[in-house]
Amino acid sequence: MDDMRAKTYIKKLTIQGFKSFNRKTSIPFLPGMNVITGPNGSGKSNVIDAISFVLGRISAKSLRAGRLKELIFHGSQTKKPAEFASVTIHFDNSKKAFPFDTEEVTITRKINRKGVSVYRLNGRNTTREKILQVLESVWIRPDGHNIIQQGDITQIIEMNPIERREIIDEISGIKEYNEKKEKALRDLEKVDQKLREAQILISQRYEIYKKLEAERNAALKYKELQLKLKILKGSYFLSRKKELNEQLGKVIEKLAKRVEEKKSLEESIYEIEEKLKEKEEVIKEIAKKVVEISKRVEIEKKISELRSKILVKKNEIDMKKAEIERLDRIIDNLESLHEKKLEIEGGMPPAVKAILRMNLRGVYGTVAQLIKTDSKYEIAIEVAAGPHLYDIIVEDEDVASFCIEFLRRERIGRATFIPLNKIRPTTFKNLGLLNKEGVIGIASRLIKYNPKFMPAMEFVFGNTLIVKDLEAAKNVGITKARMVTLDGDLIERSGVMVGGYYVRKHPHTISVDTEKQLENYIQLRKQLRIEIENLEHEVKELEKELKKFGETKETSKMLELDKVRIASEREIDKLREKRRKLNERKINLEIEINRLEMEKERLEKEIEEMNSKLEEFKDMELFEGKSWEIERDIKKIERELEKLGPINFKAIEEFEKIKKEFEEYKEKYEKILKEKESVLKMIEEIENKRKEVFLSALNKISDEFSRIFNKMTGGSGALRLEDPENIESGLIIEANPAGKKLLNIDAMSGGEKSLVALAFLFAIQSFRPSPFYLLDEIDAALDRRNSRKVAQFIKNASKNSQFIVISHNEETIKFADRVYGVTMIDGESKIVALELPK
């Protein structure tokens, strides 16, 4: 990085209508280290793209755009799209680095919406070629290595050794020798013309020779594949037979267990039925005795009726209490769901949870917590909200600032806040679309919320239509509006469509239907409690009436018999329930046994079929493996056989005859090849010189790499070819940070790789110096210590060359001579410059 680069520098950059810079913006730069910083998405990297654009870069992809016209500011919610993009760069020419007498040289590039570029040099229209010639005079190239864009470091890291060596090819200047080599190759072509003339004599024979050779090879290949195919088929049947036998064994074992289990069940059922007979006989006897006693005592009949009524009502009370317990569980679940809606682990970000737990005044909750909707709209509303679902609605920007400062101080994470006093609601303007078939309505009108939150809800949902399905969306027009179907398919205004099976992120979101259910359950529980109170009152009255009757001997006897009857009936109910369950299990077992027997029969038939097929392969040496793998290999060989097409088996014999004749012609032909020796010798000499120039450049860049890497880390490094004798072989980058062993870049950690890649790029820049350097987030993958090393190196290098660095790394910013802050306001980038104290 010598003094030649200090003869000029970028004094100022003026941008208008370029990417996120809508208004005319002038950025003055100083010699030394200039750092541009700001949040992600604010437009920092667009400054680098603007410089690359005005220098004549024509690849839209390298400028991070699909097409050049996409570089023009495309507008925002409050700004109209620009009609053109214009960038002007001002170079200092006080040392007359450029071939002009002016103190300043300006280059302007303007592009309109048709993608047409216009260049101006010092205010006059010119061509791109003229611009490139002027820039070349001060070692500036639009695609030079002095511009390191986002991803360049990663690209160097991910390159294979051959791709890294091609960088040395590009900057070593061996292009001249490549041209000489091409000229020599053209001379070689003239000699080859003579060979072609001689070749006419054997061309016909050669065609026959090659045709027969191909047919002979195809025939041999066909025989070889047929043999392999036969072995594979036999091996498939053998392997399949083994697998079927294993399956059959498992089925037989399982079948035996199920048969034994069925037998055991049948025994248990028989025992239960015997017990039932005994208990039923007991109840019959009790019934007879009760009838006899009842005939003798009429009053006992009245007592029995009262007791029966009491028993019925108590049973009814127990049933209603059980129903209340069930309702209590349902209500508890629904109320818990209502209290904790959207509090899903892994759904709501930790930062949002932390803010909500604080219960701050002025913090109302997330968008998801503050809305309700019918269950049929839940998926559509969730997708319509998109990334805003967990946005926190707050009273004003002061509350938002307090929360953001808290999250930063506590290092919890990030959250998005919507201040009600600042947010501008988005209104849906094209109301005519609401009459289209399949359109349900605007999303903001399909949700319920406190009117206080209207600005925020219109901001999130106001520009989205809810439609029935994709057919309805196409009927409206894909780019007419942002739309969401009831199944959750999203259609952006840009034409981007997102869809498929939608997995709910918020399955616990409570809907209007759920609230109605909750109210119904609470009302039902209340009604049941009233009915229980009435029944209990009726029981008390019946018990009072029962007490009026004195207990007689017959009464006591009936009570005893009644107790035995009730106990027996309960036991009978239990036995019957147990018998029912056992019978159900028996039926299921019989179904499974039937299925297993059918499976057994099927497997036995398949095994028999495999044995029959194996008869054809009994004299072959087969192997066992996984049948699906062998089947895959069979299909592969069958495809190969199909590709071979028709086979000429006579070609095997005919080829040997033609081969002998062709060799005689070939011997004559090869004599002419000697004429090529002198031309090939010349090519060899050119190649040696080419190698010399390449190695010279490689050695210088390697020395620079070692020096720069030592400055940055205290370690050492070197560049070498995989094969030192072959300049077409790959480039190996080796380095050993202080205190570590020498490693290839591909074997290093992520941070070390980034440091080595940076040192490599700085070494290339030193070999082909430039007046300025543009570095876009080269420290993104570095830790604090390595970031400081790189920043210190840039700071030292900036004494002789101008550096413009994109970064939001604190260590880098500390070393800057001037810091430019970039922020995004209403979709438009703004610049604020700050010159730091020395």
Side-chain angles (χ1 to χ4, degrees):
M1 299 181 180
D2 55 36
D3 292 340
M4 285 298 291
R5 286 165 294 170
K7 287 185 177 180
T8 186
Y9 63 90
I10 300 172
K11 289 177 65 177
K12 186 169 66 173
L13 185 71
T14 302
I15 311 172
Q16 182 177 359
F18 183 85
K19 285 197 169 183
S20 58
F21 289 90
N22 181 28
R23 297 181 183 178
K24 188 174 183 179
T25 304
S26 292
I27 310 172
F29 290 110
L30 294 176
M33 185 174 176
N34 302 267
V35 174
I36 300 173
T37 189
N40 288 334
S42 61
K44 303 187 298 298
S45 297
N46 291 343
V47 177
I48 299 294
D49 292 343
I51 296 174
S52 300
F53 170 77
V54 74
L55 293 180
R57 188 171 287 188
I58 57 176
S59 167
K61 185 177 180 181
S62 67
L63 296 171
R64 301 182 300 128
R67 293 173 293 180
L68 284 177
K69 68 178 183 181
E70 294 177 10
L71 299 174
I72 301 172
F73 178 73
H74 52 71
S76 66
Q77 292 180 350
T78 58
K79 307 289 182 182
K80 293 181 178 180
E83 293 300 320
F84 63 87
S86 174
V87 180
T88 301
I89 192 166
H90 303 253
F91 288 105
D92 177 77
N93 197 33
S94 58
K95 297 182 181 180
K96 300 300 179 283
F98 291 93
F100 301 102
D101 292 331
T102 57
E103 291 293 312
E104 184 178 277
V105 171
T106 63
I107 297 173
T108 300
R109 184 180 180 186
K110 184 176 180 181
I111 186 170
N112 61 23
R113 288 205 165 271
K114 292 182 179 180
V116 178
S117 287
V118 176
Y119 292 89
R120 290 189 182 92
L121 178 61
N122 289 334
R124 295 183 177 180
N125 285 359
T126 185
T127 62
R128 178 175 180 272
E129 289 69 25
K130 177 62 177 177
I131 295 292
L132 296 181
Q133 289 175 9
V134 171
L135 292 174
E136 184 70 25
S137 67
V138 288
W139 299 354
I140 298 174
R141 302 174 185 85
D143 295 302
H145 290 282
N146 62 315
I147 302 174
I148 302 179
Q149 293 184 310
Q150 286 186 22
D152 285 358
I153 303 299
T154 303
Q155 186 179 1
I156 291 293
I157 292 170
E158 293 177 351
M159 279 181 175
N160 59 43
I162 295 296
E163 290 171 330
R164 291 179 187 138
R165 190 263 302 153
E166 287 172 352
I167 296 175
I168 307 298
D169 284 354
E170 177 189 345
I171 64 173
S172 64
I174 62 172
K175 181 179 179 181
E176 172 189 350
Y177 297 98
N178 290 339
E179 290 173 355
K180 288 182 179 180
K181 183 177 179 181
E182 287 178 9
K183 183 179 179 301
L185 289 172
R186 287 195 294 272
D187 294 339
L188 185 62
E189 177 62 27
K190 293 177 183 178
V191 176
D192 286 337
Q193 180 61 33
K194 295 178 183 179
L195 290 174
R196 285 192 289 273
E197 291 172 359
Q199 194 176 17
I200 294 173
L201 298 173
I202 62 170
S203 60
Q204 292 180 345
R205 290 290 176 181
Y206 179 74
E207 288 176 6
I208 297 171
Y209 171 81
K210 294 304 290 183
K211 181 175 180 294
L212 283 173
E213 183 182 35
E215 290 178 352
R216 187 277 308 259
N217 292 342
L220 293 175
K221 182 70 173 176
Y222 184 88
K223 288 184 175 182
E224 179 187 350
L225 290 174
Q226 281 286 13
L227 179 60
K228 283 184 180 179
L229 183 62
K230 192 169 183 180
I231 293 172
L232 282 171
K233 285 183 176 179
S235 300
Y236 171 79
F237 297 140
L238 183 64
S239 302
R240 184 65 184 146
K241 176 186 171 183
K242 180 184 176 184
E243 292 169 357
L244 290 168
N245 276 318
E246 290 173 356
Q247 292 175 27
L248 180 62
K250 291 177 181 177
V251 168
I252 291 171
E253 182 182 351
K254 195 171 183 180
L255 183 60
K257 287 181 180 179
R258 295 296 179 263
V259 169
E260 185 63 31
E261 190 176 347
K262 180 188 172 187
K263 183 179 178 183
S264 176
L265 278 173
E266 287 172 342
E267 291 174 357
S268 299
I269 291 169
Y270 177 77
E271 291 174 4
I272 289 171
E273 287 177 344
E274 289 298 312
K275 288 180 181 178
L276 278 170
K277 288 178 184 178
E278 292 176 9
K279 295 297 178 184
E280 286 169 353
E281 286 297 323
V282 170
I283 288 176
K284 285 179 183 178
E285 289 297 320
I286 290 172
K288 287 179 183 179
K289 291 178 182 178
V290 169
V291 170
E292 290 173 2
I293 294 172
S294 296
K295 287 177 182 177
R296 294 195 300 270
V297 185
E298 184 64 31
I299 195 169
E300 295 300 336
K301 183 178 180 182
K302 181 66 175 175
I303 292 171
S304 178
E305 287 177 359
L306 288 172
R307 291 186 183 280
S308 296
K309 286 182 180 179
I310 291 170
L311 183 62
V312 168
K313 291 188 181 294
K314 283 184 176 181
N315 285 338
E316 192 174 348
I317 290 170
D318 290 341
M319 289 173 63
K320 290 184 183 296
K321 285 182 177 180
E323 178 64 10
I324 286 175
E325 288 179 3
R326 185 181 74 83
L327 289 174
D328 285 341
R329 288 194 295 273
I330 294 173
I331 290 168
D332 288 343
N333 288 336
L334 289 175
E335 287 178 340
S336 175
L337 176 63
H338 185 62
E339 292 171 1
K340 297 182 179 180
K341 71 171 185 175
L342 295 178
E343 285 282 346
I344 307 166
E345 293 300 324
M348 184 178 291
V352 175
K353 290 181 183 178
I355 294 299
L356 296 179
R357 289 194 192 105
M358 293 171 68
N359 294 320
L360 293 173
R361 183 177 180 183
V363 175
Y364 300 115
T366 64
V367 170
Q369 289 176 319
L370 299 175
I371 63 173
K372 296 174 184 175
T373 186
D374 288 343
S375 58
K376 61 185 175 182
Y377 302 138
E378 281 186 335
I379 291 175
I381 292 300
E382 187 176 298
V383 174
H388 295 295
L389 199 64
Y390 290 125
D391 289 3
I392 301 173
I393 299 176
V394 296
E395 186 173 353
D396 52 37
E397 72 274 23
D398 293 332
V399 177
S401 298
F402 176 83
C403 294
I404 291 170
E405 185 58 34
F406 169 77
L407 293 175
R408 182 185 296 109
R409 183 175 65 251
E410 299 299 325
R411 297 186 178 182
I412 296 173
R414 296 168 67 89
T416 302
F417 298 88
I418 304 178
L420 290 176
N421 69 327
K422 292 294 183 181
I423 198 66
R424 296 181 180 177
T426 303
T427 56
F428 194 84
K429 296 178 180 178
N430 197 351
L431 298 178
L433 298 179
L434 296 175
N435 299 322
K436 294 280 188 177
E437 185 179 354
V439 174
I440 295 169
I442 301 169
S444 60
R445 299 180 187 176
L446 298 176
I447 58 175
K448 295 183 179 180
Y449 55 85
N450 190 322
K452 176 179 181 179
F453 306 131
M454 185 274 291
M457 297 309 174
E458 287 294 340
F459 167 73
V460 175
F461 299 102
N463 68 335
T464 303
L465 276 184
I466 304 301
V467 297
K468 183 180 178 183
D469 49 31
L470 286 175
E471 283 301 319
K474 288 191 283 184
N475 183 44
V476 171
I478 294 299
T479 59
K480 296 292 184 182
R482 184 175 188 262
M483 294 176 281
V484 178
T485 70
L486 292 178
D487 290 332
D489 299 322
L490 171 64
I491 303 94
E492 297 284 4
R493 284 206 65 171
S494 61
V496 171
M497 299 174 69
V498 181
Y501 177 70
Y502 183 75
V503 179
R504 290 295 307 281
K505 299 177 183 176
H506 319 287
H508 296 111
T509 302
I510 191 162
S511 66
V512 173
D513 292 343
T514 308
E515 285 191 333
K516 288 180 180 176
Q517 282 184 333
L518 181 59
E519 291 173 3
N520 290 339
Y521 285 133
I522 292 173
Q523 186 61 35
L524 181 58
R525 181 178 65 181
K526 184 178 178 181
Q527 181 63 35
L528 286 171
R529 285 174 177 168
I530 293 171
E531 291 175 2
I532 288 172
E533 287 178 4
N534 294 335
L535 287 169
E536 287 176 342
H537 178 73
E538 291 175 11
V539 168
K540 286 179 182 178
E541 291 299 319
L542 289 169
E543 286 176 343
K544 285 179 184 179
E545 188 177 350
L546 184 63
K547 285 180 181 179
K548 293 177 183 178
F549 298 97
E551 289 191 5
T552 62
K553 235 179 187 181
E554 287 79 4
T555 305
S556 299
K557 184 67 176 174
M558 282 186 69
L559 287 173
E560 290 297 323
L561 290 171
D562 197 41
K563 287 180 182 178
V564 174
R565 179 186 62 76
I566 291 170
S568 297
E569 285 179 349
R570 285 177 181 171
E571 194 168 348
I572 286 172
D573 288 341
K574 289 180 182 178
L575 288 169
R576 284 175 177 168
E577 177 63 19
K578 188 174 181 182
R579 181 180 65 181
R580 184 187 65 78
K581 290 180 178 179
L582 290 175
N583 276 321
E584 284 181 0
R585 175 61 183 156
K586 179 186 172 185
I587 291 168
N588 291 333
L589 278 173
E590 287 172 345
I591 292 170
E592 188 174 2
I593 288 168
N594 185 49
R595 183 187 63 77
L596 288 170
E597 286 176 342
M598 290 173 66
E599 179 71 5
K600 175 174 172 288
E601 185 179 348
R602 182 187 67 80
L603 289 171
E604 287 172 344
K605 285 182 179 179
E606 282 197 50
I607 291 169
E608 186 179 344
E609 185 182 348
M610 291 301 111
N611 285 328
S612 175
K613 289 180 178 179
L614 280 169
E615 285 296 316
E616 183 184 346
F617 306 93
K618 59 185 178 182
D619 297 328
M620 300 188 72
E621 187 175 344
L622 305 177
F623 64 90
E624 289 184 357
K626 294 179 180 177
S627 62
W628 66 268
E629 290 181 347
I630 298 173
E631 189 175 20
R632 179 193 62 194
D633 293 339
I634 288 171
K635 290 179 180 177
K636 182 180 177 183
I637 289 180
E638 286 176 343
R639 286 194 297 270
E640 289 183 44
L641 285 167
E642 189 177 343
K643 287 179 183 178
L644 289 176
I647 301 298
N648 177 14
F649 291 102
K650 291 182 180 179
I652 297 173
E653 183 180 344
E654 292 174 354
F655 174 75
E656 295 302 323
K657 294 178 183 178
I658 196 68
K659 182 180 178 183
K660 184 177 179 182
E661 183 181 341
F662 178 74
E663 289 295 334
E664 295 175 359
Y665 282 97
K666 185 180 176 183
E667 185 178 349
K668 296 176 183 178
Y669 170 75
E670 288 175 346
K671 290 179 181 179
I672 305 172
L673 295 176
K674 293 181 181 179
E675 296 181 28
K676 296 173 67 173
E677 290 180 0
S678 59
V679 178
L680 291 173
K681 185 177 180 182
M682 183 187 302
I683 292 172
E684 183 181 358
E685 290 172 358
I686 293 170
E687 184 63 23
N688 289 337
K689 186 63 179 176
R690 177 171 170 266
K691 182 177 180 180
E692 180 184 337
V693 170
F694 174 86
L695 291 176
S696 173
L698 175 62
N699 291 334
K700 289 177 182 177
I701 294 171
S702 179
D703 292 342
E704 281 298 305
F705 171 74
S706 180
R707 178 182 67 79
I708 291 169
F709 190 74
N710 179 262
K711 261 189 173 183
M712 287 169 61
T713 68
S716 61
L719 309 178
R720 64 176 179 83
L721 293 174
E722 288 180 316
D723 180 359
E725 300 302 318
N726 180 13
I727 65 172
E728 304 296 333
S729 63
L731 179 69
I732 300 298
I733 303 176
E734 294 178 325
N736 60 332
K740 296 187 178 182
K741 66 179 182 179
L742 191 68
L743 289 174
N744 185 328
I745 185 174
D746 297 322
M748 298 178 184
S749 67
E752 291 171 340
K753 284 181 178 180
S754 296
L755 270 180
V756 172
L758 276 170
F760 178 61
L761 286 171
F762 287 150
I764 290 171
Q765 292 172 355
S766 293
F767 183 78
R768 282 288 182 266
S770 177
F772 61 86
Y773 295 91
L774 310 179
L775 312 178
D776 192 354
E777 295 198 24
I778 61 170
D779 51 12
L782 301 179
D783 57 21
R784 183 183 292 268
R785 184 171 62 87
N786 288 328
S787 295
R788 190 181 306 118
K789 290 177 181 179
V790 173
Q792 181 66 61
F793 175 81
I794 295 172
K795 180 69 173 179
N796 292 335
S798 69
K799 295 175 183 177
N800 295 322
S801 302
Q802 183 187 45
F803 280 81
I804 298 174
V805 183
I806 304 294
S807 176
H808 43 66
N809 189 306
E810 291 180 4
E811 294 300 326
T812 303
I813 295 171
K814 287 178 184 177
F815 285 93
D817 296 311
R818 177 178 287 186
V819 175
Y820 303 82
V822 182
T823 185
M824 180 72 73
I825 301 175
D826 294 335
E828 186 176 349
S829 295
K830 306 288 184 182
I831 293 283
V832 177
L834 175 65
E835 189 168 355
L836 299 179
K838 300 297 181 183

